[in-house]
């Protein structure tokens, strides 16, 4: 009996440790931004370097962008549409591109960048020589901690970004009374900036160079030491503790309105915190964060490597990927990044989430809709953070408004359309260059997120409220599709298979996206008992749309013509959209197309940028080849900066995904690909362990979500399922499948159903 109790206790402690040990850990400060660690509350983010003699906390607020409210549509562009189409039909691609470049592109042709906001610096004189340094980001409570010793005194710093208090908090302590002495100030990389200090607060005002947005950040410190202002810096002496709060805001209200009052906002935030102690703020932050974080657990085992620094773990994983805890950490880190960059009321995660230190960030750090923005949201339902999708739905609402103008001006069509890039002003017209900017899939792909959210949550009210967005996207495509004089099919023209092959008539990806959207509308209109006629029209159109085709190399054709180059290793694999995230192509209904899709992926090869590797992990999971998926995961979790790998993608020391440079989509896409190894539910049933890699023979997961309103917990050992529990949230019928076993059962909302390894009811 006693033995049993001890064993149980050990087991509990074991699991607790597995849960608690999801940390990023380092034994030295960050020198580079990609070594610094991110915190965020959806809107207000920071990168913490963890320096000793000088700490640097670079912060962002998500609404500080260049530019101004603007309608990017090209007036009268639609006049040229028939001519561009005719040139493409006649095989005159270059002429079509030239005409489109002149008459069909966004006005102006470039969008604008997300901006850095400011920097907090803390100088600690005399701390140059230190010992016992540690720097961690604890995913269990979203707190960044630095600690070290100088002359026997322990100095500790915690930093967090609180969602409930809308502020960044920095809390400093010294183990000896009066030993904490430092200078503190704020600054920014903007030319147009002003810092004012008054009492215990410092205010930073910045104005972006090319645009109308200005930002105000206010920092306030409380301490048990002495405080005075020296050369414009806050000078703290003889303290043992100090707490700093930082609030930041801009005059951005929405994409049409910049009449906000940031000084008022930051003032209110700090007043609301008032005299709350750091302990209070921290407690509120942890409660809020854990209400999301704790819903999902993943334990893949821990072979002791979790004690190493994160940097060493990434290096070791590259050489020998036998650190299953790092794989689980990668998933939990993605969840952490979702919670930190996309909360209800915030903007969606950009190419860099909310973290950016450059005035001219790569690809503007904006929203690229031909893969990147959607990839940011791939795992969100499955890893149980459903409400973190809200910013994406708000984004779709806004872009449907600007996209309606673009649909009219460029295509003389109803409904809405969005091309491959969007900025904060919700530009929806084709940007950059006609050979890749004119891509039509954005409205359809984004709409699929609305439908998938419904499938996962079975939330009919949500569907009712968002159906019109899907419908208007479908309306656009139903008018835009064009009967190809060469083949007789309805095709998407002009468009592009991202970002390969130039401007074309009829790229496969568009047709897959449009078909999926039309089918979703047919389904949704039935559920909502509406639009029967429109659904009927779409039903009639589906068989006329150019179908998926198998080409002469056994590949799935990327274009209408059989012109794929089997030696191309291009990072985009767009024509496999229907394998993932779509599922029109699958083993059950279209095995031949599945084979061809796999052949296409073989040709593209296993190399790629961060997000491309991540996409391929999802493909291989859908192809049910867990080992191949794991091979690509190995590459994604390899050191991006290592000289032998430079330019090859992978992960930075802070586990940020490297395109390179940093792009956050790979973090989310990678996590999604890992989850696809454990669960898939796209074919009206829940498949367990459909692509389990040999390298992950043992594990357990809980709080993982499947379509139909189901939340599951299951365990496996020696590569085999041991048991599974299904919580039905909406009382939908359920089909579970594991290898050759399958069970169909009715459920009641709120009830949990338990099964053994052969799916017999327990
Ligand atoms: C697409 C990709 C690039 C990059 C950019 C943000 O254009 O082709 O690789 O990810 O988006």
């Amino acid at each position: 009996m006693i033995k049993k109790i001890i064993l149980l206790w050990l087991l509990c402690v074991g699991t607790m440790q597995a849960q608690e040990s999801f940390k990023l850990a380092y034994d030295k400060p960050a020198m580079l931004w990609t070594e610094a660690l991110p915190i965020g509350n959806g809107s207000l983010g920071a990168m913490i370097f963890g320096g000793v003699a000088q700490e640097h906390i670079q912060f962002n607020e998500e609404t500080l962008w260049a530019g101004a409210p603007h309608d990017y549509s090209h007036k009268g562009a639609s006049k040229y549409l028939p001519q561009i189409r005719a040139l493409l039909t006649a095989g005159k691609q270059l002429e079509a591109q030239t005409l489109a470049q002149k008459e069909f592109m966004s006005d102006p042709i470039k969008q604008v960048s997300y901006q850095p906001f400011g920097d907090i610096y803390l100088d600690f004189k005399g701390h140059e020589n230190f010992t016992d340094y540690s720097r961690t980001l604890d995913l269990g409570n979203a707190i960044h901690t630095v600690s070290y010793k100088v002359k026997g005194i322990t100095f500790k710093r915690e930093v967090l970004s609180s969602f409930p208090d809308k502020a960044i908090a920095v809390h400093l302590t010294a183990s000896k009374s009066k030993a904490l002495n430092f200078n503190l100030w704020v600054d920014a990389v903007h030319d147009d900036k002003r810092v004012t200090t008054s009492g215990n607060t410092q205010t930073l005002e910045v104005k972006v160079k090319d645009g109308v947005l200005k930002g105000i950040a206010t920092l306030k410190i409380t301490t048990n030491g002495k405080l005075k202002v020296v050369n414009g810096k806050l000078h703290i002496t003889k303290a043992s503790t100090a707490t700093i709060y930082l609030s930041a805001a801009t005059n951005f209200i929405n994409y049409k309105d910049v009449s906000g009052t940031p000084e008022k906002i930051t003032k209110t935030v700090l007043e609301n915190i008032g005299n709350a102690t750091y302990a209070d703020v921290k407690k509120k932050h942890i409660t809020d964060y854990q209400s999301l974080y704790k819903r999902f657990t993943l334990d893949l085992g821990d072979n002791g490597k979790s004690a190493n620094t994160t940097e060493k773990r990434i290096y070791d994983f590259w050489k020998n990927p036998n650190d299953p805890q790092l794989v689980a950490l990668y998933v939990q880190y993605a969840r952490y990044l979702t919670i930190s960059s996309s909360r209800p009321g915030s903007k969606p995660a950009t190419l860099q989430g909310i973290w950016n230190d450059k005035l001219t960030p790569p690809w503007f750090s904006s929203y690229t809709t031909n893969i990147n923005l959607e990839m940011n949201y791939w795992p969100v339902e499955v890893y149980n953070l459903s409400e973190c999708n809200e910013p994406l739905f708000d984004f779709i609402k806004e872009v449907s408004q600007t996209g309606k103008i673009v649909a009219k001006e460029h295509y003389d069509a109803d409904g809405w359309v969005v091309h491959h890039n969007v900025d904060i002003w919700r530009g929806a017209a084709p940007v950059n260059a006609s050979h890749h900017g004119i891509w039509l899939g954005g409205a359809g792909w984004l709409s699929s997120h609305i439908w998938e959210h419904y499938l996962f949550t079975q939330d009919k009210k949500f569907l009712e409220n968002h159906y019109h967005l899907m419908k208007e996207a479908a309306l656009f495509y139903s008018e835009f599709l064009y009967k190809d004089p060469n083949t007789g099919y309805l095709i998407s023209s002009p468009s592009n298979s991202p970002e390969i092959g130039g401007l074309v008539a009829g790229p496969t990806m568009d047709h897959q996206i449009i078909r999926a959207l039309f089918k979703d509308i047919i389904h949704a209109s039935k559920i909502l008992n509406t639009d029967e006629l429109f659904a009927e029209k779409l039903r009639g159109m589906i068989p006329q749309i150019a179908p998926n085709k198998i080409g002469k190399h056994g590949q799935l054709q990327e274009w209408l013509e059989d012109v794929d180059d089997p030696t191309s290793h291009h990072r985009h694999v767009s024509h496999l959209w229907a394998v993932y995230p779509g599922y029109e192509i699958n083993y059950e209904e279209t095995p031949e197309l599945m084979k061809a899709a796999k052949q296409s992926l073989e040709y593209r090869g296993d190399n790629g940028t961060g997000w491309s590797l991540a996409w391929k992990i999802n493909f291989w999971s859908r192809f049910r080849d867990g080992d191949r998926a794991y091979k690509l995961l190995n590459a994604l979790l390899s050191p991006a900066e290592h000289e032998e790998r430079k330019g090859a993608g992978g992960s930075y020391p802070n586990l940020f995904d490297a395109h390179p440079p940093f792009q956050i989509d790979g973090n989310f896409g990678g996590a999604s690909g890992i989850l696809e190894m454990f669960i898939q539910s796209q074919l009206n049933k829940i498949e367990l362990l459909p692509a389990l890699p040999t390298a992950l023979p043992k594990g357990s997961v809980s709080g993982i979500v499947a379509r139909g309103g189901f939340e599951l917990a299951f365990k496996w050992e020696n590569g085999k399922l041991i048991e599974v529990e299904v919580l039905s949230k909406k009382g939908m019928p359920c089909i579970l499948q594991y290898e050759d076993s399958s069970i169909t059962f009715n459920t009641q909302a709120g009830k949990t159903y338990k099964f053994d390894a052969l799916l017999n009811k327990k």
Side-chain angles (χ1 to χ4, degrees):
M1 180 66 185
I2 289 178
K3 254 193 192 164
K4 249 192 185 164
I5 290 174
I6 292 178
L7 199 73
L8 217 74
W9 179 80
L10 277 175
L11 271 175
C12 283
V13 171
T15 359
M16 265 158 54
Q17 273 170 354
Q19 268 306 303
E20 280 167 5
S21 59
F22 287 115
K23 283 186 182 163
L24 278 71
Y26 304 82
D27 57 9
K28 54 181 190 292
M31 302 302 288
L32 303 171
W33 194 82
T34 44
E35 293 167 1
L37 294 169
I39 56 163
N41 66 3
S43 308
L44 182 61
M47 295 295 286
I48 305 154
F49 284 71
V52 178
Q54 184 174 85
E55 171 64 296
H56 177 196
I57 301 172
Q58 182 264 322
F59 64 91
N60 289 98
E61 197 281 335
E62 64 177 352
T63 62
L64 192 68
W65 286 62
H70 181 72
D71 169 11
Y72 285 91
S73 69
H74 189 134
K75 302 295 165 209
S78 67
K79 270 195 295 207
Y80 298 89
L81 180 64
Q83 216 177 324
I84 297 168
R85 279 181 166 160
L87 286 168
L88 289 173
T89 305
K92 297 180 178 168
Q93 187 190 48
L94 286 181
E95 284 171 52
Q97 281 175 184
T98 308
L99 179 62
Q101 187 71 26
K102 194 158 159 252
E103 308 291 355
F104 207 77
M105 303 304 287
S106 170
D107 178 16
I109 195 142
K110 295 265 178 200
Q111 294 176 351
V112 295
S113 291
Y114 180 40
Q115 295 289 287
F117 201 122
D119 304 85
I120 307 172
Y121 292 99
L122 299 100
D123 262 2
F124 300 87
K125 251 205 197 130
H127 285 208
E128 290 75 19
N129 296 317
F130 56 91
T131 60
D132 302 272
Y133 180 89
S134 108
R135 173 167 76 100
T136 56
L137 177 62
D138 188 343
L139 305 185
N141 59 15
I143 292 177
H144 180 280
T145 307
V146 171
S147 89
Y148 56 88
K149 278 186 183 165
V150 175
K151 294 183 188 143
I153 304 168
T154 302
F155 293 90
K156 199 171 155 195
R157 226 163 28 235
E158 289 186 353
V159 191
L160 58 89
S161 181
S162 162
F163 179 71
D165 279 317
K166 300 183 170 57
I168 289 174
V170 186
H171 182 65
L172 302 97
T173 53
S175 62
K176 190 173 158 206
S177 114
K178 299 189 178 171
L180 186 62
N181 304 296
F182 62 99
N183 285 332
L184 164 72
W185 70 101
V186 280
D187 200 352
V189 293
H190 298 275
D191 288 338
D192 196 345
K193 64 183 169 191
R194 198 157 67 107
V195 177
T196 45
T197 313
S198 152
N200 62 345
T201 67
Q202 198 162 63
T203 301
L204 167 73
E205 285 176 64
V206 298
K207 179 157 180 332
V208 299
K209 193 165 166 220
D210 302 306
V212 295
L213 291 178
K214 58 178 183 158
I216 301 231
T218 307
L219 171 153
K220 181 176 151 191
I221 181 163
T222 51
T223 174
N224 63 358
K226 292 200 168 131
L227 177 77
K228 57 182 178 177
V229 181
V230 181
N231 296 333
K233 294 177 180 170
L234 294 163
H235 189 62
I236 292 94
T237 50
K238 298 196 172 160
S240 60
T241 176
T243 304
I244 302 161
Y245 295 112
L246 177 104
S247 159
T250 75
N251 53 321
F252 179 91
I253 290 187
N254 61 46
Y255 75 94
K256 290 184 278 197
D257 183 356
V258 292
S259 65
T261 49
E263 40 300 281
K264 240 195 188 156
I265 300 173
T266 57
K267 199 168 159 234
T268 312
V269 165
L270 293 179
E271 273 171 11
N272 288 347
I273 294 175
N275 293 328
T277 62
Y278 173 68
D280 293 336
V281 170
K282 178 176 172 179
K283 194 168 162 212
K284 229 158 117 189
H285 160 74
I286 294 178
T287 307
D288 162 72
Y289 173 77
Q290 290 186 342
S291 70
L292 295 161
Y293 180 77
K294 279 192 159 175
R295 289 177 193 164
F296 169 100
T297 68
L298 177 61
D299 183 356
L300 298 173
D302 186 341
N303 55 11
K305 298 201 169 191
S306 59
N308 294 336
T309 65
T310 306
E311 213 168 342
K312 177 165 167 45
R313 294 177 79 182
I314 298 170
Y315 180 86
D316 289 350
F317 198 86
W318 172 37
K319 295 293 169 190
N320 180 7
N322 73 344
D323 182 355
Q325 208 266 2
L326 184 64
V327 177
L329 174 77
Y330 198 80
V331 174
Q332 290 291 23
Y333 190 46
R335 296 184 72 242
Y336 169 84
L337 293 172
T338 296
I339 300 170
S340 305
S341 66
S342 192
R343 297 290 292 266
S346 81
K347 306 276 163 264
T350 74
L351 289 169
Q352 298 189 178
I354 49 172
W355 300 278
N356 166 39
D357 66 334
K358 295 190 174 64
L359 293 166
T360 51
W363 295 287
F364 308 97
S365 185
S366 64
Y367 302 99
T368 308
T369 58
N370 68 14
I371 174 71
N372 319 89
L373 173 61
E374 291 89 347
M375 184 178 273
N376 285 355
Y377 288 85
W378 283 355
V380 172
E381 297 291 344
V382 184
Y383 61 34
N384 213 337
L385 293 175
S386 192
E387 65 269 61
C388 294
N389 271 318
E390 274 181 37
L392 184 68
F393 302 138
D394 295 341
F395 172 94
I396 298 174
K397 258 179 238 160
E398 293 183 347
V399 94
S400 77
Q401 292 159 7
T402 52
K404 200 171 168 65
I405 302 172
V406 176
K408 255 286 155 275
E409 292 293 344
H410 291 241
Y411 302 94
D412 193 22
D414 297 317
W416 65 281
V417 62
V418 55
H419 295 82
H420 96 294
N421 220 82
V422 181
D423 60 12
I424 198 161
W425 312 110
R426 304 304 179 237
V431 290
N432 302 350
S434 62
H435 59 70
H436 73 273
I438 303 175
W439 168 77
L440 270 296
W445 195 340
L446 287 168
S447 295
S448 76
H449 283 252
I450 294 174
W451 178 243
E452 289 297 324
H453 179 75
Y454 167 72
L455 289 182
F456 275 96
T457 60
Q458 298 294 308
D459 181 348
K460 211 168 146 184
K461 199 99 228 114
F462 167 84
L463 187 62
E464 241 164 56
N465 292 336
H466 292 79
Y467 167 77
H468 67 284
L469 300 167
M470 298 169 61
K471 181 190 165 182
E472 279 163 34
L475 185 63
F476 168 78
Y477 291 117
S478 70
E479 293 183 16
F480 160 76
L481 281 172
Y482 160 73
K483 187 160 177 173
D484 179 22
N486 295 335
T487 62
Y489 285 126
L490 288 178
I491 60 163
S492 166
S493 173
S495 194
N496 167 248
S497 191
E499 296 165 10
I500 169 169
L503 193 64
V504 295
T508 300
M509 176 196 230
D510 285 13
H511 303 147
Q512 295 173 345
I513 290 176
I514 296 168
R515 263 195 304 272
L517 175 63
F518 285 7
K519 285 180 195 164
D520 296 345
I521 294 286
I522 293 168
H523 213 140
S525 64
K526 210 167 179 181
I527 293 166
L528 300 175
N529 201 12
T530 183
D531 285 336
E532 212 177 302
L533 281 179
F534 184 56
E536 210 37 54
K537 179 179 169 191
L538 301 184
R539 205 191 308 276
M541 288 179 83
I542 291 173
Q544 299 177 51
I545 300 174
N548 292 306
K549 277 200 201 151
I550 299 173
K552 58 180 177 246
H553 307 288
Q555 89 285 12
L556 184 71
Q557 282 182 208
E558 186 161 359
W559 295 278
L560 266 186
E561 300 82 24
D562 189 1
V563 292
D564 297 58
D565 172 5
T567 64
S568 166
H569 296 142
H570 199 278
R571 61 193 178 285
H572 284 270
V573 205
S574 307
H575 49 316
L576 267 58
W577 190 90
V579 174
Y580 190 95
Y583 31 93
E584 171 185 49
I585 299 182
N586 60 67
Y587 278 127
E588 285 176 24
E589 294 156 322
T590 56
E592 287 305 310
L593 290 173
M594 198 67 166
K595 200 171 144 205
K598 202 166 160 180
Q599 184 61 60
S600 288
L601 191 58
E602 288 288 4
Y603 287 138
R604 280 291 211 271
D606 286 345
N607 294 329
T609 58
W611 61 257
S612 178
L613 286 171
W615 200 353
K616 289 172 185 173
I617 297 171
N618 288 273
F619 289 138
W620 285 114
S621 293
R622 287 269 162 107
F623 289 134
R624 301 210 182 109
D625 188 339
D627 286 342
R628 188 70 171 266
Y630 197 81
K631 182 184 169 207
L632 290 158
L633 179 64
N634 185 8
L636 190 66
L637 260 166
S638 290
E641 297 287 68
H642 199 277
E643 346 179 289
E644 283 173 47
R645 293 186 38 81
K646 276 238 155 114
S651 296
Y652 290 109
N654 62 4
L655 263 190
F656 269 173
D657 163 63
H659 184 289
F662 163 52
Q663 221 171 272
I664 207 161
D665 39 24
N667 286 93
F668 297 123
S672 162
I674 296 166
L675 299 174
E676 286 283 314
M677 297 170 182
F678 306 142
I679 192 166
Q680 295 182 19
S681 62
Q682 66 278 11
L683 298 179
N684 294 320
K685 60 183 175 181
I686 303 171
E687 292 179 69
L688 300 166
L689 306 176
L692 189 68
T694 326
L696 301 174
K698 185 172 183 300
S700 65
V701 61
S702 73
I704 196 164
V705 181
R707 290 171 186 81
F710 300 110
E711 211 176 288
L712 288 92
F714 52 94
K715 268 196 186 123
W716 64 96
E717 259 173 43
N718 301 319
K720 293 282 173 203
L721 184 74
I722 299 288
E723 58 186 15
V724 52
E725 278 183 28
V726 183
L727 165 67
S728 170
K729 288 186 162 173
K730 295 287 169 146
M732 297 295 285
C734 182
I735 306 177
L736 273 187
Q737 190 184 319
Y738 171 62
E739 293 184 339
D740 296 334
S741 316
S742 132
I743 180 164
T744 305
F745 55 102
N746 287 325
T747 72
Q748 276 176 32
K751 271 203 157 178
T752 300
Y753 302 83
K754 300 184 180 188
F755 303 89
D756 66 13
L758 296 171
L759 301 184
N760 295 312
K761 255 194 183 161
K762 285 222 266 190

